[in-house]
Amino acid sequence: MTRLLVIGPPGAGKGTQAERMAAAFGIPAVSTGDMFRANVKGKTALGIQVQEFIDAGKYVPDSVTNAIVGDRLHQADAAAGFLLDGYPRTLDQVQELDRLLEADGTQLDAVVQIVADTDEVVARLLKRAAEQGRADDTAEVIRHRLDVYAEQTAPLIDIYGSRGIVVTVDGLGAVDEVTARILDALAERDIHTV
């Protein structure tokens, strides 16, 4: 069983690397962003609520996010492990995740921190916005999300760092190179692919 978390600023390549890591370890990638986008696309009640936060460049409240993630981690395919992408983002979410994992007698094996230069991140997200027509990825909203990340999410690295489970990897470079760096860093901690 492998339980991983990938963390880093918006645009650092978390989604791409999460998919690759999940495939390498044979576990589901649990992306709050994907779950939120599916609800927005389906115009569910949750999706409408989520869209209002996204349009304002804000994160979805912890109560909503915790409920969605808790439900997802109790689905059958996550019993053998999972890779979290986009959760937890706040101290309250860390506490909720700890509670969920402790109730199952488990814990995270590693937190993969992907780091990337801020200007590179903004350029990546603006390019993605142009390619995908994503209204939520304007320069102003991107910079606001990076500020929110620095304020709320970056301190989580201190928590997980104190537990000795953070693996920091440079997110710049070719996708395959970044994936190799991540898998090598995890192998050094005796966390091996299937």
Side-chain angles (χ1 to χ4, degrees):
M1 295 180 71
T2 304
R3 292 169 214 84
L4 302 172
L5 162 63
V6 62
I7 194 169
K14 292 185 307 297
T16 299
Q17 294 304 328
E19 288 176 13
R20 288 169 159 247
M21 285 188 286
F25 288 99
I27 55 177
V30 177
S31 165
T32 52
D34 288 348
M35 289 188 286
F36 291 156
R37 280 188 283 278
N39 279 279
V40 168
K41 185 176 181 180
K43 298 185 192 276
T44 66
L46 174 62
I48 292 166
Q49 186 180 16
V50 166
Q51 187 65 53
E52 291 173 4
F53 290 105
I54 291 172
D55 287 345
K58 297 179 179 177
Y59 289 132
V60 177
D62 289 346
S63 58
V64 174
T65 306
N66 288 340
I68 290 172
V69 172
D71 179 66
R72 179 64 184 93
L73 294 184
H74 285 105
Q75 292 178 13
D77 67 334
F82 53 80
L83 185 144
L84 293 169
D85 170 13
Y87 180 92
R89 291 185 190 253
T90 67
L91 298 176
D92 287 342
Q93 290 178 3
V94 168
Q95 292 169 349
E96 178 63 14
L97 178 60
D98 285 347
R99 188 191 67 70
L100 284 169
L101 295 176
E102 286 169 12
D104 292 337
T106 62
Q107 61 186 12
L108 287 175
D109 296 305
V111 174
V112 177
Q113 179 190 21
I114 300 177
V115 295
D117 177 75
T118 300
D119 291 336
E120 177 69 20
V121 165
V122 172
R124 282 182 183 182
L125 290 176
L126 288 173
K127 181 180 178 190
R128 182 175 75 182
E131 291 171 352
Q132 299 179 0
R134 291 179 57 156
D136 60 318
D137 281 346
T138 64
E140 182 180 341
V141 169
I142 291 167
R143 293 208 180 269
H144 176 72
R145 286 196 319 222
L146 291 171
D147 290 343
V148 172
Y149 169 79
E151 177 186 320
Q152 294 183 352
T153 311
L156 306 186
I157 294 302
D158 293 336
I159 292 170
Y160 290 121
S162 72
R163 298 177 188 179
I165 60 171
V166 175
V167 175
T168 302
V169 178
D170 181 0
L172 297 182
V175 173
D176 288 344
E177 292 172 5
V178 176
T179 303
R181 283 183 213 138
I182 292 169
L183 297 180
D184 289 346
L186 290 171
E188 287 176 14
R189 292 182 173 251
D190 208 24
I191 302 171
H192 300 283
T193 58
V194 292

